[in-house]
Amino acid sequence: MIPAAFEYYRPSDMAGVIALLEEHGDDARVMAGGHSLIPMMKLRMADVPHLIDLQGLSGLSDITVDTDSIRIGALVTQTDIIRHEGLAAVAPILRETALQIADPQVRNMGTVGGNVANGDPGNDMPGLMQCLNASFTLVGPDGERDVAARAFYEAAYMTAREDDEVLTTVSIPLPEGGYAYEKQKRKIGDYATAAAAVQITKTGEICAAASIAMTNLSDTPVFSEAASMALVGTSIDGTALSAAVSAMLGDIDPTEDNRGPVAFKNHVAGVILRRAIERAWSRA
Amino acid sequence: MKDEIESRDDRVANLKGMGCSRKRVEDARFTQGKGNYVDDLKLDGMLFGDFVRSPYAHARVVSINTEEALKVPGVLAVLTAADLEPLGLHWMPTLAGDKQMVLADGKVLFQGQEVAFVVAEDRYAAADGIELVEVEYDELPVIVDPFESLKSDVVLREDLVAEDGGLPDGAHGPRKHHNHIFTWEAGDKEPTEQVLAEADVVATETMYYHRTHPCPLETCGCVASMDKVNGKLTLWGTFQAPHAIRTVVSLISGIEEHNIRVISPDIGGGFGNKVGAYPGYVCSVVASIVTGKPVKWIEDRMDNLMTTAFARDYHMTGRISATKEGKITGLHCHVTADHGGFDACADPTKFPAGFMNICTGSYDIPTAYLEVDGVYTNKAPGGVSYRCSFRVTEAVYFIERMIEVLAIELNMDAAELRRINFIKKEQFPYTAALGWEYDSGDYHTAWDKALKTVDYDGLRAEQAQRVEDFKAGKTRKLMGIGLSFFTEIVGAGPVKNCDILGLGMFDSCEIRIHPTGSAIARLGTISQGQGHATTFAQILASEIGLPADSITIEEGDTDTAPYGLGTYGSRSTPVAGAATAMAGRKIRAKAQMIAAYLLEVHDNDVEFDVDRFVVKGAPERFKTMKDIAFAAYNQAIPGIEPGLEAVSYYDPPNMTYPFGAYVCVMDIDVDTGVPEIRRFYALDDCGTRINPMIIEGQVHGGLTEALAVALGQEIAYDDMGNVKTGTLMDFFLPTAWEVPNYETDFTVTPSPHHPIGAKGVGESPHVGGVPCFSNAVQDAFRPFGNRHTNMPHDHWRIWQTANKLGLHD
Ligand SMILES: Cc1cc2nc3c(=O)[nH]c(=O)nc-3n(C[C@H](O)[C@H](O)[C@H](O)COP(=O)(O)OP(=O)(O)OC[C@H]3O[C@@H](n4cnc5c(N)ncnc54)[C@H](O)[C@@H]3O)c2cc1C
């Protein structure tokens, strides 16, 4: 498992990165933590003649908590997310999710930007960001633009990001209410068999708003608006849970792999979502 | 004068001999990253070789074009079968009496098969060269199912079919079909059929013990270095049997054995994976001879999982009969064994299905019959014993499942059914219906202790309550109580019936005592993490009265160590450990004569006492072993040669039979299929206990590998013969997170024929653990009508069991 030869670059500013991306087009890729990209290169499934390391850039490793939103720099690691007390206070779902990603060694390297930009349906952060209605800031030769997480994912490894754009920031509106990230996996270090991200608010004993996204159950993360809506206005009773689950099942499209056949995945997706909603509701 | 004031207890403690939880002397280097593994070896001018491997499971190799590969800077040569053929090395013998292609000779038989060997200045250039070797394949129909294979017109091994279409006998007798390898029988067929026909109750079950892999942390590899000036070949490698490798290399290469030196440096786990001989070894040797430079070959993780030495892949059908009261009367077992493209099992020559004929287990079963059919398919060759003595895991899994199924048939408690049928203490030595003579055992005592410790009756009551709660909709978790009682058969073995490639399976120890009273002992075995340097020194300390800390243990260099058959099948302590004790006794015998001379008494007037010889009846008159060692080198003693050395080659009179009683308590989430191990209790009886701490470590490791196999670890193929589990993302290797807290316990029933009564323990926990974990899963579903489901019990398969039983409705 040895990658093909590649040129290595470590520019110190964004202009340098963009210039290299423009120069080499398809043949260039940026690398953040490298924990998705390097395994693919070693398996020779990704051919990257020009590898641009982002770790020489400054200003992409900050976590900023404002009154109405959170900004996370692309190079913030999953470990940074777990350790950040201010973040855990306002958006505890981020820590809950990050703790269920891989293992400590991987989390020390893997970045938020890499996780959401990668486009692997197995990554946990994309679904989370859809649940939180985050947006991604992309910088390219033509300047900066924002894309909503819910509009970013097109197919496995296909996103709205152009080849010559770099994801710099993840912006998240301050979440409200109860939360849960529920994930079933085969072992530590495994991607999800099924995972659900849920944020939920209540007025009195009635659900006021809900947001539901699922991980690794389609070729993209799945924000299920129908499932979210099925909860609003209910007291999250059995009927509401069943309605949310069946709405969610209408939105996902799992495929068979070593984690199991489709029927199993659908069933587990339902169980996991139910548990996530119940836990989020209990915290709302 | 210190000696005189030391109490006997102090002197015993000072030796750190048998029974002491001496800290492992190996760990200082392993925990500091100072181990010396084969990949750490760097020699001047060393080259690196790696394989072009087949992407197809079955195909003709039409052509191989190496032109572009040879243009890669740093690539020096690309070897193919055509290059090896003139040397007669394009095929090699396997340990199972078959032969195996070293490099694809006209066709490939499994995905990942070695097709060409690229030799380069470093591993990076080799990897680039591999990409550019152009191989044209012509795909052939793929067979991954052994039952289909036996019906198929497709001939997998044309080399084993005569020109007139006839089927020459294989290494183990007549073959029934062109894809059939052997039939092996044990026991009495007709009487068994008769007993089954006349029985009150017969339980029948078919089970598949899936293909898996030992997956040691360190993969296989070697460095071959041919010194053209003195004609000597040195081969470092991950060899569990370095002497056997030396002999094999000599036989197939024609290099005289004295000109070959095989060295096993530190080995990072073997578990059977490193017993066999692999194409990488042969190609490295040839490449070194061709280039005149040292050549290294190291597998990556995928190579290891996909090509070298899988384990299991046994399709087993059992019929077991009993009286209404539950006394077992007969057992019939048929196995269809999937050996892949070549029969490269590592078993003693006369045992093509290993010791599968221990499948009557710990029970007094008067009549039994076993038949095993070996079959070729388009899968990787191997069939090693992953942390068990030859095929014992399969045998114990089989009987421990049959017992559970019989208990269901009889509507009886499975613990009670075992108790009724155990071989009784007074029946030992016990000759089983399939031939083995069990040396010793006390199963009832162990079983009762285990059940009492876990409060078995309390667990059953809790489980009954859980079932009621489940039915009432109060919980979605079921509770399973896994039981297993196993008897291992280890320590291969007596030369009269155990050999590998004609080499008798004795083992050896050579001891040299230095003048100042320290020593070095060399053995024919090789540690792969078992802690030999610690425990063998302890055996010697007790035998010769010098502190274990003053004894160096050395293994793995064929130029210095005495000949032995290596380490696997839990044979090191039973065989080499016995040799160690016997060699120690030779030292002691000579020491006695020296002591008597020094004390000016008759030989018979002195006796051994911990670390010294004392004059009988006058304990104040003594010579310590240290004194004696010095005397051996500085005194001219009439009639006694100078020096103090001994060597022993030990041919064991019988195998040893460790046993144990395990209980697992598991909660299963019916909706997700996730099992949670609440408790695991393991009682092991390995006879005399040399180092309790090391035993405990071995039990923990073996149980963890058992958990892995039972709950998810598998080498799975799709219909096209593609390996679906070739990386550690999909091949289940448990972490500390998945592993429960193990409770260990023991009884001690020494082996009557072993010099120190030890039986071996490294593999017991795996052998007993797999059925225990599996039985826990199966037991959880028993109240809902489950009889048997196949391993691995990963989430989706457990879910599927629940689903089929209607538990999701
Ligand atoms: C053993 C193991 C287990 C894992 N388990 C999980 C898991 O359970 N859940 C999970 O979510 N992840 C898991 N991962 C993935 C891990 O979290 C990765 O680190 C993460 O997905 C990618 O982050 P990275 O910084 O390593 O990205 P890299 O590997 O550096 O990059 C990944 C991809 O994103 C692109 N990219 C990276 N940064 C940017 C950017 N700023 N702008 C544009 N493109 C960019 C790269 O070009 C590349 O294509 C696992 C990884 C390993 C090795």
Side-chain angles (χ1 to χ4, degrees), chain B residues 321-339:
Chain B
S321 63
T323 64
K324 283 194 286 295
E325 296 73 35
K327 184 75 194 73
I328 300 171
T329 55
L331 178 72
H332 187 289
C333 176
H334 182 270
V335 180
T336 299
D338 186 340
H339 286 221

Side-chain angles (χ1 to χ4, degrees), chain A residues 29-30 32-37 78 110-111 115 123-124 167 183 191:
Chain A
R29 286 260 209 120
V30 297
H35 270 48
S36 288
L37 185 55
Q78 290 142 15
T111 66
N115 200 298
N123 285 136
D124 289 291
L167 193 152
K183 175 176 175 181
Y191 294 93

Side-chain angles (χ1 to χ4, degrees), chain A residues 1-5 43-44 184-191 258-261 263-264 267-268 271 275, chain B residues 123-124 127-128 131 300-302 669 671-672 674 724 728-732 735 737-738 795-796 799 808:
Chain A
M1 283 192 264
I2 288 170
L43 291 166
R44 300 202 176 206
Q184 178 166 341
K185 56 188 171 187
R186 296 171 297 181
K187 60 172 177 184
I188 285 298
D190 192 20
Y191 294 93
N258 287 328
R259 294 183 183 83
F264 165 70
H267 188 111
V268 168
V271 174
R275 289 180 187 173
Chain B
R123 62 181 78 191
Y124 302 93
D128 289 341
E131 290 280 293
D300 69 22
R301 180 61 59 193
M302 289 177 79
D669 184 328
D671 294 316
T672 58
V674 177
K724 298 199 288 177
L728 294 185
M729 187 54 84
D730 286 308
F731 183 85
F732 176 42
T735 68
W737 191 269
E738 288 81 24
H795 298 172
W796 80 262
W799 176 87
H808 297 141

Side-chain angles (χ1 to χ4, degrees), chain B residues 276-293:
Chain B
Y278 297 124
Y281 305 159
V282 178
C283 289
S284 303
V285 170
V286 172
S288 180
I289 293 172
V290 170
T291 61
K293 295 193 169 161

Side-chain angles (χ1 to χ4, degrees), chain B residues 43 223-236 246 249-250 253-263 284-290 292-295 557-560:
Chain B
L43 302 178
V223 175
S225 180
M226 183 74 203
D227 184 331
K228 291 201 171 172
V229 176
N230 63 19
K232 286 217 177 234
L233 171 70
T234 308
L235 184 60
W236 293 263
R246 185 185 71 192
V249 170
S250 174
S253 70
I255 302 170
E256 277 198 83
E257 204 164 349
H258 74 105
N259 277 332
I260 303 171
R261 179 178 184 187
V262 174
I263 299 174
S284 303
V285 170
V286 172
S288 180
I289 293 172
V290 170
K293 295 193 169 161
V295 176
D557 183 340
T558 58
D559 265 10
T560 56

Side-chain angles (χ1 to χ4, degrees), chain B residues 345-627:
Chain B
C345 282
D347 292 314
T349 306
K350 298 187 193 79
F351 297 89
F355 301 157
M356 185 64 199
N357 58 341
I358 194 79
C359 68
T360 52
S362 315
Y363 310 103
D364 182 12
I365 302 180
T367 313
Y369 175 68
L370 164 72
E371 185 182 40
V372 182
D373 282 300
V375 185
Y376 291 118
T377 60
N378 290 122
K379 296 176 172 177
V384 295
S385 303
Y386 169 7
R387 204 165 185 149
C388 70
S389 190
F390 312 99
R391 298 284 185 187
V392 178
T393 320
E394 288 91 321
V396 170
Y397 184 74
F398 169 79
I399 186 64
E400 289 304 288
R401 283 302 304 140
M402 289 311 294
I403 289 284
E404 294 281 321
V405 171
L406 180 61
I408 292 171
E409 200 71 45
L410 288 162
N411 196 21
M412 233 176 120
D413 178 78
E416 186 56 22
L417 180 59
R418 285 180 173 84
R419 191 196 319 267
I420 294 173
N421 288 289
F422 281 142
I423 301 162
K424 295 187 193 68
K425 189 178 172 185
E426 56 274 18
Q427 285 176 281
F428 292 95
Y430 171 86
T431 304
L434 295 178
W436 295 110
E437 188 189 291
Y438 293 33
D439 65 348
S440 59
D442 183 358
Y443 300 165
H444 286 95
T445 300
W447 197 229
D448 291 343
K449 186 175 185 189
L451 297 186
K452 187 158 176 270
T453 311
V454 300
D455 182 19
Y456 181 68
D457 294 338
L459 287 173
R460 283 289 175 209
E462 187 190 346
Q463 185 190 37
Q465 181 62 45
R466 183 72 74 85
V467 170
E468 274 183 32
D469 289 350
F470 184 86
K471 286 181 175 160
K474 290 190 213 156
T475 178
R476 294 296 292 163
K477 283 193 179 168
L478 295 177
M479 174 178 161
I481 303 166
L483 304 175
S484 90
F485 196 99
F486 66 91
T487 298
E488 255 262 71
I489 168 169
V490 307
V495 173
K496 64 178 185 288
N497 54 13
C498 291
D499 71 275
I500 284 185
L501 292 178
L503 304 167
M505 295 179 76
F506 60 83
D507 226 290
S508 57
C509 175
E510 183 198 275
I511 305 168
R512 295 181 185 180
I513 311 289
H514 308 315
T516 51
S518 66
I520 183 166
R522 296 189 171 99
L523 293 85
T525 45
I526 175 72
S527 186
Q528 304 126 40
Q530 293 91 337
H532 289 181
T534 308
T535 47
F536 287 131
Q538 290 182 255
I539 296 177
L540 268 186
S542 293
E543 290 290 344
I544 66 175
L546 292 173
D549 289 345
S550 302
I551 302 169
T552 295
I553 300 290
E554 201 183 86
E555 301 172 305
D557 183 340
T558 58
D559 265 10
T560 56
Y563 205 101
L565 265 279
T567 294
Y568 42 87
S570 282
R571 64 186 299 281
S572 298
T573 295
V575 191
T580 304
M582 297 309 271
R585 287 171 196 182
K586 289 183 187 176
I587 297 278
R588 215 161 81 186
K590 183 168 177 183
Q592 181 164 4
M593 293 191 274
I594 298 172
Y597 170 80
L598 297 174
L599 292 162
E600 296 175 13
V601 295
H602 191 273
D603 288 358
N604 290 336
D605 291 335
V606 293
E607 63 188 357
F608 188 67
D609 178 42
V610 184
D611 59 350
R612 62 193 59 185
F613 278 94
V614 298
V615 176
K616 286 179 185 167
E620 72 289 351
R621 292 187 61 204
F622 63 84
K623 286 290 168 191
T624 66
M625 284 301 292
K626 232 175 129 113
D627 302 333

